[in-house]
Amino acid sequence: MGENYESSNVGGRRSREEEHDSRSGSDNMEGAPGDDQEDAVKLPRKKRYHRHTPHQIQELEALFKECPHPDEKQRLELSKRLSLDARQVKFWFQNRRTQMKTQLERHENSILRLENDKLRVENMSIREATRNPICTNCGGPAIIGEISLEEQHLRIQNARLKNELDRVCTLAGKFLGHPISSTAISMGPPLPNSSLELGVGNDGFGGVATIPETLHMGPPDFGIGISSPLPVVPPTEVTMNVIPIDRSLERSMYSELALAAMDELVKMAQNGEPLWLRSLEAGREILNYEEYGRIFTPVIGVKPNGFVAEASRATGMGIINSLALVETLMVSNKWAEMFPCMIARTSTTDVISNGIRGTRNGALQLMHAELQVLSPLVPVRDVNFLRFCKQHAEGLWAVVDVSIDTIRETSTLPNCRRLPSGCVVEDMPNGYSKVTWIEHAEYDESVIHHLYRTLINSGMGFGAQRWIATLQRQCECLAILMSSAVPTRNHNAITASGRRSMLKLAQRMTNSFCAGVCVSTANKWNKLCIGNADEDIQIMTRKSVDDPGEPPGIVLSAATSVWLPVSPQRLFDFLHDEHLRSEWDILSNGGPMQEMAHIAKGQDHGNCVSLLRASNSMLILQETCIDETGSLAVYAPVDIPAMHVVMNGGDSTYVALLPSGFAIVPDGSRGPTSNGYPNPRVSGSLLTVAFQILVNSLPTAKLTVESVDTVNHLISCTVLKIKNALNCES
């Protein structure tokens, strides 16, 4: 208001000055103060006013439109052309500019007054609406401010139970021949001699209006309160065929499931023996299923026939704070980037709650994921699950996953069910976090090859150890890349932009390699069943069209997994050594390779991205990574001019490559017997070998038997060379 008042005063003064000095832009004054001519003695002079002719005003206005601030030369030329004094022209432009500014201020003030009136009307409407707010979910009076997920769930459940009560009262009234009030039933004694008591319980509906004891906050865990599981109200004989599962009811069931899963996860992370037993033989903790069944009630029903259970727990420190890790887990693409070799595909299908107070506390969402072990002998795990995030204390968070198959029925039975799994994250000093990870699943073991059954059952395939190890390795990589002191070797210096481009290219290469090993719905591969191919070799094909990151044509992928009686570390060191590459790689041209560039991704020398040059001057991009649960080595030949562009910080999107490589995991301290199945006396490694080859540069060409034979021969010869180099039996 003060600004408007001041503006109006200024506008009023300028209006009077404008009317007095410019006479609507057509009058001018001579002999005004500020004259360039100064006399020694200033005598009072009489002011004279001159009215400009229409022609003079037209010329002045024309120049004003082009140049509101003419210089002295322009004013002088105009004064001569119009037979005016230079001072008259100067004063006319000053007055005209003042007049223009006044008009603009008037227009702005009118706009501001309109906006002010509009905001006043909206404010009055909002005040009127907030006097009696109504909850859109339950229909009851709303409470101003944000509420927790538990309270929201109770309100929705209360509204659903009221609807059930009204429907049952209507049916009871028809049955008994007289109307029955739902209020009388909920507050009064049970109905006498009513057959409905058999369907709804002997206490009538007296228990509907009260909160069961199981809804109260339980004893503190980790020093905080954890909500107990909410009871699921079973459908009665009367309501079973009357009430459909609508949107609000489904969300209420999701809330119940999420709270029960969170309670189980925190207890699984907190409790020690006898729930978790330390196995010296396996070197890890084993879940005591007898104790587990005594403590917990199954949140997603009984285990399906033919399924087996796996459970694991691991704890580790990571260079990441709790808020950053929680945000990574709650955003699907960030979650996939943090665990690239474990997640083939993921998406958020529905967001039930975004959290309260602008945080992830209380966030609840539906997600879909395809989890993988890099082997053609292990099917991808396709799971639909709830992900619930909760802050239990300052710097203490928990994120839990649980399958929703019991709530949302599917046409096909999934090959895996995710029991309450996830992590508890606690902030530690210096930007670290302590992460306790729980993985608990039930899966169909019959679809897994015998070579990998021990690994999967031990939790080294999909278990907590692998999640923790991958998280630690990825966080270490990010910390090194963000630090100013980047570990380097004696190679030509690579700029920061060049490192980023190389790492981006290497990430795309590794993702493409993983897609060529596992059959996922995210990939465009078509699996082939050809009689002349080895039964242990998976052959897939696809067409590459209009993809700048791949050469156009027919691409063939071949992958196989074998057992080798050598340790995973020895096998990785052999495949990672560029001086021994000629013993198995046909691209080496029979000689050693020279490392041209090196980007470290961790303290272990095996975690890096390298650029190798063969004896025939071919360049090969390679990425390797290793942790306690396994290792990976992926490589691809690249174009020399394109790599020069990438190393100088250019765009790596248009670098075409087809990756090949190896995935190594321990076999669970087992080796094959004479019939090819595990033997507890021998330990070794499970090696997956995969190649992607362009068999025809025409996308419309047909795949030939010769192409399949070529890739089949290549992968068989490579495995044989590795066995011979490591002195393994064929």
Side-chain angles (χ1 to χ4, degrees):
M1 292 177 62
E3 292 177 358
N4 293 340
Y5 176 77
E6 183 179 355
S7 300
S8 62
N9 287 343
V10 173
R13 290 197 300 269
R14 286 175 177 168
S15 299
R16 291 190 293 271
E17 292 173 1
E18 173 190 346
E19 182 180 358
H20 178 71
D21 294 339
S22 64
R23 302 288 184 179
S24 299
S26 62
D27 291 350
N28 243 303
M29 179 185 69
E30 292 184 2
D35 242 348
D36 294 337
Q37 301 174 355
E38 295 184 358
D39 300 328
V41 179
K42 294 186 178 179
L43 298 176
R45 301 176 61 183
K46 191 175 182 179
K47 297 181 180 180
R48 294 179 300 165
Y49 292 89
H50 298 279
R51 181 174 297 276
H52 299 317
T53 64
H55 172 69
Q56 290 173 337
I57 295 175
Q58 184 178 1
E59 292 292 329
L60 289 169
E61 289 285 356
L63 181 59
F64 182 81
K65 291 179 180 179
E66 297 179 1
C67 180
H69 294 271
D71 56 19
E72 186 176 358
K73 182 178 179 181
Q74 290 175 313
R75 293 197 303 268
L76 185 59
E77 292 178 356
L78 185 61
S79 64
K80 290 180 180 180
R81 191 168 69 249
L82 300 179
S83 300
L84 292 174
D85 190 81
R87 290 180 303 169
Q88 289 180 297
V89 176
K90 179 180 179 180
F91 292 147
W92 188 92
F93 274 94
Q94 289 179 352
N95 295 336
R96 189 70 179 87
R97 288 193 295 267
T98 302
Q99 183 185 19
M100 180 65 71
K101 186 176 181 180
T102 302
Q103 292 174 352
L104 290 175
E105 289 177 350
R106 288 176 181 173
H107 181 66
E108 291 176 357
N109 287 339
S110 64
I111 294 177
L112 290 175
R113 279 195 296 271
L114 291 175
E115 290 292 334
N116 192 21
D117 294 339
K118 187 185 297 183
L119 290 175
R120 188 181 296 109
V121 173
E122 291 181 358
N123 190 18
M124 294 176 63
S125 301
I126 292 174
R127 288 183 179 181
E128 186 67 25
T130 54
R131 289 179 181 177
N132 298 307
I134 301 298
C135 177
T136 57
N137 291 326
C138 63
I143 298 177
I144 303 301
E146 296 175 286
I147 61 176
S148 65
L149 180 66
E150 293 91 339
E151 187 175 351
Q152 181 182 7
H153 158 73
L154 289 175
R155 292 184 181 185
I156 295 174
Q157 188 183 36
N158 186 39
R160 177 171 60 84
L161 293 176
K162 286 181 179 179
N163 291 334
E164 288 185 21
L165 179 58
D166 292 338
R167 291 188 180 97
V168 172
C169 288
T170 302
L171 292 174
K174 293 179 179 179
F175 180 80
L176 297 176
H178 59 83
I180 298 176
S181 171
S182 60
T183 305
I185 293 179
S186 60
M187 302 299 295
L191 292 172
N193 301 325
S194 174
S195 61
L196 290 179
E197 291 178 355
L198 299 176
V200 298
N202 291 329
D203 60 341
F205 292 93
V208 173
T210 61
I211 300 178
E213 294 182 359
T214 53
L215 293 182
H216 293 194
M217 302 296 287
D221 293 328
F222 289 107
I224 39 84
I226 302 298
S227 299
S228 300
L230 298 179
V232 179
V233 180
T236 64
E237 184 178 355
V238 175
T239 62
M240 191 179 301
N241 298 324
V242 176
I243 304 175
I245 299 182
D246 56 6
R247 180 74 170 173
S248 61
L249 176 57
E250 186 181 50
R251 292 201 168 198
S252 175
M253 297 172 69
Y254 286 152
S255 301
E256 290 180 357
L257 181 60
L259 293 172
M262 177 62 72
D263 183 61
E264 179 173 325
L265 174 77
V266 173
K267 291 180 180 178
M268 290 273 284
Q270 179 189 20
N271 293 354
E273 294 185 357
L275 182 62
W276 293 96
L277 303 177
R278 189 71 184 179
S279 173
L280 298 178
E281 179 183 357
R284 60 184 179 87
E285 290 181 313
I286 298 177
L287 181 63
N288 183 353
Y289 281 99
E290 182 178 352
E291 183 69 12
Y292 174 82
R294 188 186 66 82
I295 298 176
F296 301 107
T297 301
V299 296
I300 58 174
V302 297
K303 181 172 62 178
N305 293 330
F307 277 38
V308 297
E310 65 162 286
S312 57
R313 181 173 73 170
T315 302
M317 302 288 290
I319 313 176
I320 187 172
N321 61 61
S322 60
L323 291 178
L325 181 54
V326 165
E327 185 66 20
T328 299
L329 296 175
M330 298 305 294
V331 180
S332 58
N333 60 336
K334 292 183 179 180
W335 182 43
E337 290 176 0
M338 181 64 78
F339 304 94
C341 297
M342 300 183 64
I343 302 173
R345 183 181 186 180
T346 182
S347 62
T348 301
T349 57
D350 190 14
V351 177
I352 301 173
S353 172
N354 285 317
I356 59 176
R357 301 181 185 91
T359 68
R360 292 291 183 178
N361 183 25
L364 179 62
Q365 58 194 34
L366 284 174
M367 299 185 70
H368 169 258
E370 296 179 13
L371 309 178
Q372 62 187 4
V373 169
L374 293 180
S375 171
L377 305 182
V378 182
V380 171
R381 287 186 174 180
D382 192 314
V383 288
N384 293 293
F385 58 94
L386 276 173
R387 176 161 289 181
F388 178 43
C389 177
K390 186 174 182 180
Q391 182 180 16
H392 297 290
E394 184 67 28
L396 182 63
W397 294 75
V399 179
V400 65
D401 298 343
V402 61
S403 290
I404 58 171
D405 305 315
T406 55
I407 298 178
R408 179 175 293 183
E409 296 182 358
T410 57
S411 57
T412 59
L413 182 67
N415 62 357
C416 174
R417 301 199 317 163
R418 196 165 167 83
L419 277 70
S421 305
C423 60
V424 177
V425 188
E426 182 180 5
D427 277 332
M428 304 299 288
N430 301 324
Y432 281 76
S433 289
K434 179 183 178 182
V435 183
T436 301
W437 205 290
I438 304 293
E439 278 298 316
H440 196 185
E442 295 170 345
Y443 62 96
D444 185 3
E445 191 179 40
S446 63
V447 298
I448 300 176
H449 195 277
H450 289 276
L451 281 177
Y452 279 84
R453 288 188 180 180
T454 304
L455 174 77
I456 301 302
N457 187 259
S458 67
M460 296 293 285
F462 295 97
Q465 292 91 338
R466 191 179 175 205
W467 291 99
I468 286 289
T470 304
L471 176 65
Q472 291 175 324
R473 177 165 47 82
Q474 290 288 95
C475 291
E476 184 184 26
C477 172
L478 293 175
I480 290 178
L481 296 179
M482 293 175 63
S483 65
S484 56
V486 180
T488 58
R489 294 187 181 180
N490 295 325
H491 300 300
N492 296 330
I494 306 176
T495 63
S497 59
R499 286 198 300 269
R500 286 193 296 268
S501 295
M502 282 190 63
L503 290 173
K504 186 176 181 181
L505 180 61
Q507 181 182 14
R508 176 161 65 87
M509 175 183 67
T510 302
N511 291 340
S512 178
F513 170 79
C514 297
V517 174
C518 300
V519 181
S520 168
T521 58
N523 309 324
K524 301 177 182 178
W525 293 99
N526 297 317
K527 193 172 182 180
L528 300 180
C529 297
I530 303 176
N532 60 327
D534 194 324
E535 62 178 3
D536 293 331
I537 299 179
Q538 172 185 270
I539 304 293
M540 298 190 298
T541 181
R542 62 183 172 87
K543 295 180 180 180
S544 176
V545 182
D546 297 332
D547 188 347
E550 291 181 346
I554 303 296
V555 180
L556 202 63
S557 173
T560 189
S561 296
V562 296
W563 178 86
L564 296 178
V566 295
S567 67
Q569 183 68 52
R570 181 189 173 193
L571 182 56
F572 175 77
D573 291 340
F574 169 73
L575 297 174
H576 179 245
D577 192 345
E578 61 267 20
H579 301 292
L580 302 177
R581 200 179 186 100
S582 59
E583 298 188 26
W584 58 267
D585 190 5
I586 62 173
L587 297 178
S588 64
N589 199 27
M593 289 194 176
Q594 180 183 2
E595 189 177 52
M596 303 298 297
H598 179 94
I599 302 176
K601 296 180 62 179
Q603 298 297 330
D604 194 302
H605 73 280
N607 293 319
C608 65
V609 173
S610 306
L611 186 64
L612 308 176
R613 184 174 66 183
S615 57
N616 58 358
S617 298
M618 176 185 291
L619 289 183
I620 296 177
L621 180 67
Q622 177 174 277
E623 180 176 19
T624 57
C625 57
I626 184 172
D627 55 50
E628 61 181 6
T629 63
S631 55
L632 187 70
V634 184
Y635 63 93
V638 291
D639 184 57
I640 295 177
M643 281 309 300
H644 282 300
V645 174
V646 172
M647 294 179 67
N648 290 324
D651 189 5
S652 63
T653 306
Y654 299 96
V655 179
L657 48 78
L658 289 175
S660 302
F662 309 92
I664 306 169
V665 293
D667 64 352
S669 299
R670 304 288 180 112
T673 60
S674 57
N675 59 0
Y677 294 148
N679 183 337
R681 294 189 299 271
V682 185
S683 63
S685 304
L686 295 171
L687 172 67
T688 297
V689 186
F691 290 96
Q692 293 185 28
I693 300 175
L694 183 69
V695 296
N696 198 308
S697 58
L698 295 176
T700 57
K702 293 184 178 180
L703 187 65
T704 62
V705 178
E706 291 77 9
S707 301
V708 177
D709 290 338
T710 299
V711 71
N712 192 16
H713 177 72
L714 173 62
I715 199 169
S716 300
C717 288
T718 302
V719 172
L720 183 59
K721 288 181 178 181
I722 294 174
K723 288 182 176 181
N724 293 335
L726 296 174
N727 298 321
C728 301
E729 297 180 0
S730 60

